[in-house]
Amino acid sequence: MSDPVFDYIIVGAGTAGCLLANRLSADPKKRVLLIEAGRKDDYHWIHIPVGYLYCIGNPRTDWLYKTEPAQGLNGRVLRYPRGKALGGCSSINGMIYMRGQSRDYEHWADLTGEDAWRWQQVLPDFMRHEDHYKLDGGTANAAFAAVHGHKSQPGAGGEWRVEKQRLQWDILDDFSQAAQQAGIAATDDFNGGNNEGVAYFEVNQRKGWRWNTAKAFLRPTCYGRPNFEMWTHAQVSQLLLEPQADGQPRCTGARVWTGSQSVDARLAAGGEVLLSAGSIGSPQILQLSGIGPADLLQSLGIAVRQHLPGVGANLQDHLQIRSVYKIRPPRGGQATLNTLSASLWGRAKIGLEYALRRSGPMSMAPSQLGAFTRSSPEHAWPNIQYHVQPLSLDAFGEPLHAFDAFTASVCNLNPTSRGTVHIRSRDFADAPLIAPNYLSTPEDRLVAAQSLRVTRRIVGQSALARWQPEEFKPGVQYQSDEDLARLAGDIATTIFHPVGTTRMGRANDPMAVLDPHLKVRGVSGLRVVDAGAMPTITSGNTNAPTLMMAEKAAGWIRQGL
């Protein structure tokens, strides 16, 4: 480690942190330090798309968090994966590229009073790093380019690669047809502002390999810059704070545990610490540093440096309700992954296809087919999302079932339930208490019941009749709202989208942790740039919106805003 004085100290080399490091180190006059608690992304399963199966639940790449028992899940505890390696969650996530809906960003602007968060104002930030396959080769789909905000010539893309999936499955094709028969139109673009429709997801891959943010933004660009430094195996234990003349603290650096000693990384005059440790890690670090709810901090013997009751509050997540249907493949029909992977020949075929063409099941994202629709007609926008898979299992990490089946997971895009992330001790090595409080409101329980009925309506269409689908979970004997909501609690799990725990807001919002430019209220020299800053969860997968937020923050920082 060199002389530890920097203009920017970025905590967390995940989705947001890698982009921030790239953008801020582009100024050769600024010294940038990127700190990552995990290892380099040199584990081979990070890069093979299906390798998420070996990364989640693996201490080499995952923080191994678990939730507190949840009443809405009938007392169940869930595994709560968070990436612990270069690339963060982009090294272990589902690789799905999804911006969300335009209404999400209009709502953010209304909540924060900052028009820069409106849909038309965030589009350039998405586009600044997006490299979309539809714009390859010098000819673009004009309608696609217009909707997506492209003003430059096709082929002049950014670092973040978006491609079609390199697989196809008969049962997914027929589910898509059934969805259309049920009134969900086909779409060829989930990212134009209203993602209603059914289609295969687009993914962050390059030629059949996972494309994480370490590849996109760190290598080789940052590694070749003399003003850039990176520490791995380095966990921030607390922020360094010094009182100012006005009595408020200023962040002057970070205390880092290297595994053998503590090292203080300090800011140069006028510098900033940028917390990008994620919706779990960032509130944990703030609380350990004395920034958060005073009663919590005092109960643990931590001196209160800035009372911000919203730190660790407002946790939101997408809870996916996993309906499983047994099927009988028709004569000549394609088996599901359950039985295909059960034989030595099937596994050899899967491996050979990937080795030769980088396609097939080893190239697959955790979910392949997507759909956005309404749980009931009164909703003005799609409020539920499907992730459909040609496989089934009792729980993530468990073996696949021995019979052919598909899973139609559905989540409430805009849950009203709110949870918390709170440290349990003064020890930075202790995992925080994570309590998402899923299905804790009548509204969420009603949407859960309604969404299971939408699933049944789709599966009941003629397009799937040749597969003879039979509802395995939750079971056709459950029909009432009360029964379906209770059974949803038995079969639902996180889809890994925690946000909101350090949310931004207006100056008169007592629960807002950040101002609209992501600065921590009452603490100078400190911002939070990750999904925790979202005031409300986006209507879809959260990786792309997090990158957009980092892009916007980098622009503000360079402008001194």
Side-chain angles (χ1 to χ4, degrees), residues 209 348-360 362-363:
W209 299 99
K349 181 180 178 183
I350 290 170
L352 187 63
E353 181 176 4
Y354 188 74
L356 295 178
R357 295 198 294 268
R358 296 287 180 267
S359 62
M362 287 187 70
S363 74

Side-chain angles (χ1 to χ4, degrees), residues 133-330:
Y133 76 95
K134 287 185 179 179
L135 301 175
D136 288 347
T139 57
N141 179 311
F144 174 85
V147 167
H148 281 246
H150 283 276
K151 295 183 175 64
S152 58
Q153 289 299 311
E159 302 93 341
W160 195 233
R161 183 64 176 168
V162 182
E163 293 189 346
K164 294 173 62 176
Q165 292 191 66
R166 301 165 74 91
L167 53 74
Q168 171 274 335
W169 228 288
D170 292 347
I171 184 64
L172 299 183
D173 292 345
D174 285 351
F175 188 97
S176 175
Q177 289 299 314
Q180 292 171 58
Q181 290 174 346
I184 305 171
T187 183
D188 61 358
D189 183 8
F190 279 135
N191 289 299
N194 179 352
N195 47 22
E196 188 161 18
V198 59
Y200 279 89
F201 288 122
E202 295 173 336
V203 291
N204 295 120
Q205 294 182 8
R206 185 179 289 279
K207 299 180 179 179
W209 299 99
R210 175 189 288 273
W211 195 242
N212 70 354
T213 55
K215 292 178 185 175
F217 300 105
L218 297 186
R219 293 194 296 270
T221 311
C222 287
Y223 291 172
R225 291 172 174 168
N227 61 324
F228 172 78
E229 188 165 335
M230 181 174 69
W231 299 352
T232 56
H233 300 278
Q235 185 172 353
V236 171
S237 59
Q238 67 180 91
L239 302 173
L240 304 177
L241 302 171
E242 294 182 4
Q244 303 300 291
D246 60 3
Q248 290 190 332
R250 176 173 182 81
C251 186
T252 58
R255 182 154 294 157
V256 183
W257 176 249
T258 67
S260 59
Q261 62 177 329
S262 283
V263 176
D264 287 351
R266 294 196 173 270
L267 286 176
E272 287 193 56
V273 169
L274 309 170
L275 267 185
S276 297
S279 295
I280 309 303
S282 288
Q284 179 187 22
I285 292 170
L286 289 171
Q287 291 168 9
L288 288 168
S289 307
I291 303 170
D295 55 350
L296 170 68
L297 304 181
Q298 291 167 345
S299 71
L300 297 172
I302 297 173
V304 179
R305 307 300 299 275
Q306 183 66 28
H307 171 55
L308 288 175
V311 174
N314 193 48
L315 173 62
Q316 300 158 61
D317 191 11
H318 289 142
L319 182 74
Q320 59 173 349
I321 305 170
R322 301 175 61 255
S323 293
V324 174
Y325 287 82
K326 290 183 176 181
I327 57 174
R328 296 185 180 94

Side-chain angles (χ1 to χ4, degrees), residues 25 34 72 121 183 246 256 344 348 409 440 459 473 488 510:
S25 65
L34 179 62
Q121 300 302 314
D246 60 3
V256 183
L344 182 62
S409 296
S440 60
V459 175
K473 288 185 177 181

Side-chain angles (χ1 to χ4, degrees), residues 481-559:
D481 285 352
E482 182 179 354
D483 280 347
L484 290 175
R486 176 173 51 83
L487 268 295
D490 285 339
I491 63 176
T493 187
T494 174
I495 204 167
F496 320 137
H497 296 165
V499 310
T501 51
T502 54
R503 70 177 174 91
M504 57 180 166
R506 294 175 183 264
N508 61 357
D509 181 350
M511 295 300 288
V513 178
L514 312 176
D515 75 7
H517 287 182
L518 310 181
K519 295 178 179 179
V520 176
R521 295 197 181 280
V523 183
S524 57
L526 180 62
R527 298 188 205 225
V528 179
V529 186
D530 57 35
M534 297 182 185
T536 53
I537 196 166
T538 54
S539 301
N541 308 74
T542 53
N543 181 260
T546 302
L547 276 176
M548 176 277 293
M549 297 176 78
E551 193 79 78
K552 188 171 287 293
W556 282 333
I557 293 165
R558 289 193 302 263
Q559 297 170 50

Side-chain angles (χ1 to χ4, degrees), residues 375-439:
S375 63
S376 59
E378 70 269 14
H379 290 280
W381 290 71
N383 72 312
I384 58 175
Q385 176 184 8
Y386 280 90
H387 293 75
V388 191
Q389 307 148 328
L391 55 86
S392 66
L393 63 171
D394 285 332
F396 192 87
E398 298 294 319
L400 296 175
H401 290 140
F403 47 82
D404 278 305
F406 68 88
T407 301
S409 296
V410 61
C411 70
N412 179 356
L413 289 171
N414 310 117
T416 55
S417 298
R418 296 292 184 268
T420 57
V421 176
H422 288 155
I423 55 174
R424 66 180 77 217
S425 78
R426 299 166 61 178
D427 187 346
F428 70 90
D430 283 348
L433 297 164
I434 304 169
N437 293 332
Y438 297 118
L439 299 177

